[in-house]
Amino acid sequence: MVDMNKILIVDDDDELRENLAEILSRRGFHIDEASSGEEAIKKASSDQFDIVLLDLMMPGVGGMDVLTELKKSKPRTKVIMITAFATIDNAVEAIKKGASDYISKPFQIDNLDVTIRRVLEESKFDISAKNLGLDHTLSSLTNYIRREIIKLLHINKSLHLMETTRALEIEDHTKVVFHLKMLKESGLIKQDKEKAYSLTKEGENALDCLKILESHLSS
Amino acid sequence: MVDMNKILIVDDDDELRENLAEILSRRGFHIDEASSGEEAIKKASSDQFDIVLLDLMMPGVGGMDVLTELKKSKPRTKVIMITAFATIDNAVEAIKKGASDYISKPFQIDNLDVTIRRVLEESKFDISAKNLGLDHTLSSLTNYIRREIIKLLHINKSLHLMETTRALEIEDHTKVVFHLKMLKESGLIKQDKEKAYSLTKEGENALDCLKILESHLSS
DNA sequence: GGGATATGTGAAGTATAGTTCACATGCTGT
DNA sequence: ACAGCATGTGAACTATACTTCACATATCCC
């Protein structure tokens, strides 16, 4: 099942969450769970989900915070909010912040299922998603240091943090950490288990574009 | 004389400035003059100079302000500072801000001439200039609204401010003014006497690159 | 002349990006 | 065990980009 859709269920209510997880996985989704806002953010940023089912009401880091964070770091991930009561105001706010849809507790599984499949369907024709990706990529390329990092990684194939830092002749390594993180979030570079950074396919593409722009500008 | 180098002389001392203008134009440069910081900024932003000879000490908008402004709006223009006294501190500050060189009053014309030719010579091999241009272009493309404007201008060939504003469905036209100004400063668009905006050659190139990036990203 | 429309400026505010520093943690060699 | 280097986090700060609003000026046309 290569193209099984990955869903992250975020709810502090253990029983509801586990029930939901079991039902949805039986219906053909690959499920992961998080019982708090913190856990949700951690899982969502280290992995790639198609949909995040997000409870709005949670102690600590609330659903709205998770939504905000998610739309920043993984703009292409679709979020469906779950509201405990039919608090339309919150739902509207969530939609404005980029949530794809919402359902109110209590809900019928079939209803949720339909919503999920509709959101997945819509995301196939999502033009704004492409635009967001473009935004992300371009804003990565705007920065001189990040362009240098991309060039370095293209030449050296793979580099560690301190190797990169020395190659750039930058004193403060945390500055490089910052830009490496940006590049990783844009999907232009990746990091292996040995902590070494290398270009992704998209990163190579971006470098190509840089070269084209450079040559166009000099003409 | 198509490739005659254009120099803008900025000095509030009329006699010195006019003398300089005459001597330098006899030596084969195309000369324009400005007697104040304001005038300098206006002329420099509406025209394209290879070198700006800039007096540091001027009433009102000082030379250092002009330098700052110039390096922002026309990063590729070379600036040679003229310091009334050999105030090394100011000169050092100017160099840090991107001035190419400086000479101290009083100076020998031959000395200035040599400096000018050396700066021109250096600018031919200027890698950072290309980088600055790239920076400018890329940061223009980062913004969604500006990308939309570029696409619009590509389709419509030429548009006025309010036409653009309406096409983008933006309420506040000053927002569009802002982005149009950015694009004009990056050299991606230009404006004719009738106030209509259109893409420059560089603007068309940038659009090509956008299309490439978009198609790369969707694959 | 005066109301409607177009083109802009400048100051003030908000938002986002980038920098810096103090500190945490983990590994490696002796 | 502990010195030394690598990898990274988080908070505070600065800088830059973007937005908004109040206002200015010019033109058109009735």
Side-chain angles (χ1 to χ4, degrees):
Chain A
M1 297 256 193
V2 189
D3 61 346
M4 202 159 65
N5 287 304
K6 286 182 75 174
I7 298 182
L8 176 65
I9 304 176
V10 186
D11 201 316
D12 58 313
D13 179 343
D14 293 342
E15 201 189 322
L16 176 82
R17 192 186 63 247
E18 284 161 16
N19 265 328
L20 213 49
E22 199 187 322
I23 298 174
L24 288 177
S25 70
R26 257 192 265 122
R27 294 195 180 196
F29 299 104
H30 185 295
I31 303 292
D32 202 347
E33 305 178 35
S35 61
S36 72
E38 290 89 342
E39 199 187 348
I41 291 174
K42 193 185 275 181
K43 290 205 170 180
S45 51
S46 64
D47 207 340
Q48 188 73 44
F49 293 96
D50 297 297
I51 287 196
V52 174
L53 275 182
L54 185 57
D55 187 14
L56 209 54
M57 296 293 190
M58 288 187 298
V61 178
M64 205 61 88
D65 304 321
V66 176
L67 173 62
T68 306
E69 175 58 31
L70 220 58
K71 279 293 144 183
K72 211 187 289 180
S73 63
K74 300 266 172 162
R76 275 181 266 194
T77 302
K78 299 294 158 188
V79 177
I80 298 176
M81 305 295 290
I82 304 174
T83 59
F85 316 96
T87 49
I88 292 295
D89 282 354
N90 286 343
V92 168
E93 198 194 333
I95 299 288
K96 274 188 195 158
K97 283 198 175 179
S100 299
D101 210 334
Y102 73 96
I103 52 166
S104 324
K105 283 191 210 174
F107 52 85
Q108 306 294 331
I109 282 289
D110 286 335
N111 226 313
L112 174 60
D113 198 330
V114 166
T115 302
I116 290 174
R117 289 176 202 279
R118 184 172 44 69
V119 169
L120 285 173
E121 217 37 53
E122 279 172 10
S123 75
K124 285 185 195 162
F125 302 98
D126 204 341
I127 288 174
S128 73
K130 204 192 274 187
N131 246 320
L132 279 170
L134 192 59
D135 259 348
H136 235 213
T137 305
L138 280 171
S139 75
S140 273
L141 297 179
T142 321
N143 186 283
Y144 175 76
I145 296 177
R146 292 200 283 267
R147 291 204 300 274
E148 288 303 304
I149 292 175
I150 290 177
K151 287 180 194 167
L152 271 176
L153 287 180
H154 176 67
I155 298 169
N156 299 47
K157 199 145 162 58
S158 162
L159 285 177
H160 284 219
L161 166 60
M162 289 313 288
E163 294 171 319
T164 313
T165 305
R166 279 187 287 265
L168 294 171
E169 300 183 38
I170 289 176
E171 326 67 40
D172 185 354
H173 71 281
T174 66
K175 189 163 161 177
V176 181
V177 170
F178 172 77
H179 290 292
L180 285 170
K181 201 191 275 184
M182 292 285 104
L183 286 168
K184 211 162 51 169
E185 276 188 0
S186 330
L188 297 181
I189 69 173
K190 58 185 184 315
Q191 194 173 24
D192 58 28
K193 314 93 226 148
E194 283 77 37
K195 304 273 178 188
Y197 296 94
S198 57
L199 286 182
T200 61
K201 187 81 184 54
E202 283 203 340
E204 297 284 356
N205 284 339
L207 182 65
D208 288 346
C209 289
L210 274 184
K211 285 182 185 162
I212 294 167
L213 259 179
E214 267 181 29
S215 63
H216 274 179
L217 281 178
S218 59
S219 70
Chain B
M1 295 257 192
V2 189
D3 61 348
M4 201 159 64
N5 287 304
K6 288 183 74 172
I7 298 182
L8 177 64
I9 305 178
V10 186
D11 202 317
D12 58 313
D13 178 343
D14 293 343
E15 202 189 321
L16 177 81
R17 191 186 64 246
E18 285 161 16
N19 264 329
L20 212 50
E22 200 186 324
I23 299 174
L24 287 178
S25 70
R26 261 195 263 121
R27 295 196 179 196
F29 297 105
H30 186 294
I31 302 293
D32 202 346
E33 305 178 35
S35 62
S36 72
E38 290 88 342
E39 200 187 349
I41 290 175
K42 195 185 275 183
K43 291 204 169 182
S45 51
S46 63
D47 207 341
Q48 189 73 44
F49 294 96
D50 297 298
I51 286 195
V52 174
L53 278 181
L54 185 57
D55 187 16
L56 209 53
M57 295 293 188
M58 287 186 300
V61 178
M64 204 59 88
D65 303 320
V66 178
L67 174 61
T68 306
E69 176 57 31
L70 221 57
K71 279 294 147 184
K72 213 187 288 182
S73 63
K74 298 266 173 161
R76 277 181 264 194
T77 302
K78 299 293 156 189
V79 177
I80 299 176
M81 305 295 290
I82 304 174
T83 60
F85 316 97
T87 47
I88 293 293
D89 280 355
N90 287 343
V92 168
E93 198 194 334
I95 299 286
K96 274 189 195 159
K97 283 199 176 179
S100 298
D101 210 335
Y102 73 97
I103 52 166
S104 325
K105 281 190 209 173
F107 52 86
Q108 306 293 333
I109 282 289
D110 285 336
N111 226 314
L112 175 60
D113 199 330
V114 166
T115 302
I116 290 174
R117 289 174 202 280
R118 185 171 43 69
V119 169
L120 284 173
E121 217 36 53
E122 280 171 8
S123 75
K124 285 184 193 161
F125 302 99
D126 205 341
I127 289 173
S128 73
K130 203 190 275 185
N131 247 319
L132 280 170
L134 191 60
D135 260 348
H136 235 215
T137 305
L138 280 171
S139 74
S140 273
L141 298 179
T142 321
N143 187 283
Y144 175 75
I145 296 176
R146 292 200 285 267
R147 291 204 300 275
E148 289 303 304
I149 293 177
I150 290 178
K151 287 180 195 167
L152 271 175
L153 288 179
H154 175 69
I155 296 169
N156 300 45
K157 199 149 162 53
S158 163
L159 285 177
H160 285 224
L161 166 60
M162 288 312 289
E163 293 172 319
T164 313
T165 306
R166 278 187 286 267
L168 294 170
E169 299 183 39
I170 289 175
E171 325 68 40
D172 184 354
H173 70 282
T174 67
K175 189 163 161 177
V176 181
V177 171
F178 172 77
H179 290 293
L180 284 169
K181 200 190 276 181
M182 292 285 105
L183 285 167
K184 210 162 53 170
E185 277 189 359
S186 329
L188 297 183
I189 69 174
K190 58 186 185 315
Q191 192 173 24
D192 59 28
K193 315 93 227 149
E194 283 78 36
K195 304 275 177 185
Y197 296 94
S198 58
L199 285 183
T200 61
K201 187 83 184 55
E202 283 202 340
E204 297 283 356
N205 284 339
L207 183 64
D208 287 348
C209 287
L210 274 184
K211 285 182 185 162
I212 294 166
L213 259 179
E214 265 181 29
S215 64
H216 273 180
L217 281 178
S218 60
S219 67

